[in-house]
Amino acid sequence: MKAQVLIRPKAGILDPQGIAVEQALPALGFGGVSNVRVGRLVELDVEDPEQLDAMCQKLLANPLIEDYEVLTSS
Amino acid sequence: MRFGVVQFPGSCDERDALAACETVDGAEAVILWHRDADLKDVDAIVVPGGFSFGDYLRVGAIAQFSPVMAAVIAFANNGGPVVGICNGFQVLCETGLLPGALLPNERRRFICRQVDVEVCSTETPFTRACTAGDVLSIPSKHQTGRYYAPEALLEQMEADGQVVFRYANDSNPNGSLNDIAGVCNTARNVVGLMPHPEHAVDARTGSDDALALFASLAQGLTHV
């Protein structure tokens, strides 16, 4: 099974990467952009999708500072 | 006494850490290679700075599962003194030995400068030779050093005196909450800090203020 794990900085935590991108876009002529947040995408093939949550908790994300979302497709 | 300094692929401060440990009279310091779970009968462990595993995925995330870390965690849970510096601090937070996490610096810059660090607690194996309120001049060099803990945890840590070091004199370089530069666990035998005391043990290179921190590790040991 193919899986994607989306990892985001938790709401309320300052995201300097997001701020950098948000400041860069208007300089390139793209106006009206706000609330930019930058996270990570992990793509993987898994035999047992039941293990995905534990993988996220243990390694792929740090639940103290990040939220994660698991998407699967067969 | 014998110090162990952990080395991961991508560590870069282990040599200075060895030299800093050997400033203690009669001490020897040995490398603990990350693949080797043998702690070589050391009395104290330093997890040094660098970019373990290229900082891939998240700082400290991969290093926490190196074989040596299982042994370090057991050593710490048995009361052994463990100090994490910079990337070592990040690794110890990832293992859960220390509370909180380190986030990218507020102003998005890699910081490399001398900072003033106040010793806030002397009740740790790394600070017991200091006096509370001492301000040490120590270099800081990192991109991911913004200390963060959720509000409730942070309040509990402050109440329990787990903040061991704070940036002083408006020198907070990274946006750390409460100017936190270093913390300890609830048992107080594990300490982590972002500034680099191993680079502050010789006046010829700017400061020897951190000699007292390494000397602290030798105090209180029964078999020095």
Side-chain angles (χ1 to χ4, degrees), chain B residues 134-196:
Chain B
D134 281 355
V135 175
L136 314 177
S137 177
I138 299 180
S140 211
K141 47 164 192 162
H142 58 255
Q143 188 146 17
T144 308
R146 176 166 47 111
Y147 186 79
Y148 170 84
E151 199 173 339
L153 174 61
L154 193 63
E155 279 177 21
Q156 188 61 49
M157 290 170 62
E158 290 281 4
D160 292 344
Q162 284 178 258
V163 177
V164 180
F165 299 104
R166 247 185 259 275
Y167 300 107
N169 304 323
D170 295 321
S171 72
N172 182 346
N174 51 34
S176 287
L177 291 177
N178 296 11
D179 295 331
I180 289 171
V183 302
C184 67
N185 60 342
T186 51
R188 311 194 75 82
N189 62 310
V190 181
V191 175
L193 75 169
M194 285 312 296
H196 287 263

Side-chain angles (χ1 to χ4, degrees), chain A residues 7 13-17 19-20 23 40 42 58-62 64-66, chain B residues 57-58 61-62 64-65 94 100-106 108 146 148 150 153:
Chain A
I7 299 153
I13 288 187
L14 179 78
D15 172 25
Q17 277 195 85
I19 293 171
Q23 290 173 348
R40 290 194 304 280
V42 179
K58 199 162 183 191
L59 177 64
L60 300 181
N62 179 344
L64 194 67
I65 51 175
E66 296 168 327
Chain B
L57 189 65
R58 197 173 59 247
I62 310 280
Q64 66 174 314
F65 299 113
E94 281 283 334
L102 285 310
L103 292 165
N105 295 345
E106 189 175 41
R108 312 192 289 276
R146 176 166 47 111
Y148 170 84
L153 174 61

